[in-house]
């Protein structure tokens, strides 16, 4: 019992002299002091090279973390902006994306509807022009206008189909 007690006291004194852990029970400090003892035994050059590698890795990790924080901040700002545009009150990204998709689908449907209305108006306008020409120039002009209107309509159909796809 006396021998083990004196050993622990000697160990504590040695650790204190070497700048190590003051308490034997503190494993982390004891391990780190053991590591510094190993470095001291292997030589200062090897330990400083190892410390430089560790420091370089720490710097790279720190730089990467800073870059990642900036990236996430920009993404979150864009999500906030998108949420404001589509009128989403939620701050959750899933809700914002769902609202944006729904809004885009509404816009696509509205565009299709407007294109159909435009095509209908074009046909009505062509028919009105043909009628006016018939009233002014007679039936021959009306037939020519109707033929021209049909030709224009045939040209527009492939274009409309391509736009819808």
């Amino acid at each position: 019992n006396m021998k083990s007690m004196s050993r622990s006291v000697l160990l504590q004194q040695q650790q204190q002299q070497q700048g190590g852990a003051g308490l034997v029970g503190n494993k982390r400090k004891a391990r780190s002091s053991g590591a510094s003892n190993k470095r001291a035994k292997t030589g200062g050059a090897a330990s400083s090279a190892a410390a430089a590698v560790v420091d370089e890795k720490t710097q790279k990790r720190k730089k990467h973390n800073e870059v990642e924080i900036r990236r996430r901040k920009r993404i979150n700002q864009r999500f906030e902006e998108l949420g404001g545009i589509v009128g989403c009150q939620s701050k959750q990204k899933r809700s914002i994306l769902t609202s944006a998709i729904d809004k885009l689908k509404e816009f696509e449907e509205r565009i299709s509807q407007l294109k159909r209305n435009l095509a209908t108006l074009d046909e009505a306008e062509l028919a009105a022009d043909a009628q006016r020409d018939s009233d002014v120039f007679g039936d021959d002009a009306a037939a020519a206008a109707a033929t021209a209107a049909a030709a224009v309509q045939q040209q527009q159909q492939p274009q409309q189909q391509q736009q819808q796809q």
Side-chain angles (χ1 to χ4, degrees), residues 74-138:
R74 283 192 305 267
I75 290 171
N76 289 334
Q77 287 172 344
R78 290 303 208 168
F79 267 104
E80 287 179 22
E81 185 179 353
L82 181 61
I85 290 171
V86 298
C88 182
Q89 302 299 321
S90 175
K91 299 269 185 195
Q92 293 181 350
K93 293 176 183 176
R94 185 188 72 214
S95 298
I96 293 170
L97 288 175
T98 301
S99 295
I101 290 169
D102 292 345
K103 189 65 84 170
L104 285 172
K105 286 179 180 177
E106 287 176 23
F107 287 151
E108 285 177 337
E109 180 57 37
R110 182 70 177 138
I111 289 169
S112 295
Q113 181 183 13
L114 289 172
K115 284 180 180 178
R116 287 190 301 270
N117 290 348
L118 181 61
T120 304
L121 288 175
D122 285 344
E123 290 174 12
E125 185 177 313
L126 288 173
D129 285 347
Q131 182 62 43
R132 197 171 336 122
D133 290 344
S134 172
D135 292 345
V136 174
F137 299 110

Side-chain angles (χ1 to χ4, degrees), residues 10-75:
L10 282 173
L11 192 74
Q12 284 179 350
Q13 288 175 352
Q14 285 176 346
Q15 288 175 347
Q16 286 174 352
Q17 288 173 355
Q18 294 173 355
L23 299 172
V24 176
N26 192 336
K27 292 181 182 178
R28 181 174 288 178
K29 286 186 179 180
R31 273 192 223 129
S32 67
S33 68
S36 64
N37 284 341
K38 288 177 188 171
R39 277 190 228 122
K41 289 177 187 174
T42 59
S47 66
S48 65
V53 169
V54 169
D55 187 46
E56 184 180 334
K57 286 182 180 179
T58 303
Q59 291 299 323
K60 283 183 179 180
R61 194 175 306 122
K62 194 182 240 185
K63 179 82 171 170
H64 173 73
N65 288 343
E66 290 171 0
V67 169
E68 182 65 18
I69 287 170
R70 286 194 304 269
R71 185 186 74 82
R72 277 184 274 155
K73 196 177 278 188
R74 283 192 305 267
I75 290 171

